[in-house]
Amino acid sequence: MLRQLRSAPNLLTLMRLIFVPFVVVAIQQQNYTWALVIFVAAGITDGLDGLLARVLQQKTTLGQYLDPIADKLLLSTMFLMLSITHIIRWPYTILVFSRDIIILIVCTLLYATGTMKVFRPTWFGKANTAAQIISVPLALLYQINRSDWARLGKRWSLYLTVALTVVSGVHYVWRLAFDLRHAGAKEGGSAAGS
């Protein structure tokens, strides 16, 4: 585990986790330019860790869990802080958190009971994450530059986030139900065969 932690991609992921308190302080102190710089730097480390894992052939089990945790922690913290400071309205943040919490609870229960062990990300889920990643810097940018294009960018990226949050949540539940039904049919078939 320690050897996996010392790999370059996982060190970059850890760096992204270290960025979280600094971005919180920057937003709390209304230093939105600095918050934007930190968030963009975190985004660069996110792209680099995946690239390095492929190029250096350093894909690890730890990285597979740590990378999405770091992404979710950073994005969730950003949405929470931006709502606390009244930059993003609370309904957006509550919706984003509700989807993630429901999926986390369902997956934890299925994993704990041994019903399912692998949970693949969906394209809708990835699109939802991308929309959130776009919404955060646009919201910060609007605080720095109160132009019409920044206001429209913030508004429409949040609308897109809401739409994809609902669609990806429904799709994830539907796909889990399909996978569970398929697994149940397989078990029933194998039991009948024996």
Side-chain angles (χ1 to χ4, degrees):
M1 186 66 77
L2 199 59
R3 191 167 58 244
Q4 287 186 26
L5 196 57
R6 285 198 299 256
S7 72
N10 289 341
L11 286 174
L12 282 170
T13 303
L14 284 174
M15 188 186 298
R16 197 154 72 254
L17 286 169
I18 292 166
F19 282 150
V20 172
F22 290 100
V23 82
V24 167
V25 170
I27 294 170
Q28 192 269 329
Q29 293 182 345
Q30 298 182 358
N31 193 339
Y32 302 118
T33 303
W34 187 232
L36 182 59
V37 168
I38 295 170
F39 187 79
V40 169
I44 291 168
T45 66
D46 189 22
L48 275 177
D49 67 17
L51 181 67
L52 283 175
R54 285 189 294 275
V55 170
L56 301 175
Q57 295 182 344
Q58 291 185 344
K59 289 185 178 179
T60 62
T61 306
L62 178 66
Q64 288 176 347
Y65 287 100
L66 199 59
D67 187 59
I69 288 170
D71 289 344
K72 278 294 170 195
L73 183 63
L74 179 63
L75 280 171
S76 297
T77 302
M78 291 301 288
F79 266 82
L80 192 60
M81 284 305 298
L82 293 174
S83 286
I84 289 169
T85 51
H86 308 292
I87 295 168
I88 290 177
R89 289 172 55 209
W90 276 107
Y92 296 115
T93 299
I94 291 166
L95 190 63
V96 166
F97 267 76
S98 298
R99 172 199 174 270
D100 290 344
I101 289 166
I102 289 166
I103 288 174
L104 180 66
I105 290 169
V106 170
C107 290
T108 303
L109 287 171
L110 291 174
Y111 188 87
T113 57
T115 310
M116 283 183 77
K117 295 290 183 187
V118 179
F119 303 94
R120 301 179 318 269
T122 68
W123 284 107
F124 287 118
K126 289 179 179 180
N128 179 41
T129 302
Q132 290 178 32
I133 290 168
I134 292 165
S135 296
V136 168
L138 284 172
L140 290 169
L141 201 57
Y142 181 60
Q143 295 305 117
I144 299 163
N145 175 14
R146 296 278 182 164
S147 61
D148 285 342
W149 67 265
R151 179 176 53 81
L152 287 171
K154 174 189 169 185
R155 179 187 297 170
W156 286 104
S157 64
L158 286 170
Y159 288 165
L160 182 63
T161 297
V162 167
L164 286 170
T165 297
V166 173
V167 170
S168 64
V170 170
H171 179 256
Y172 204 88
V173 169
W174 175 83
R175 200 189 68 177
L176 272 178
F178 178 81
D179 288 348
L180 286 170
R181 193 178 316 127
H182 186 68
K186 234 186 215 180
E187 282 178 17
S190 61
S194 62

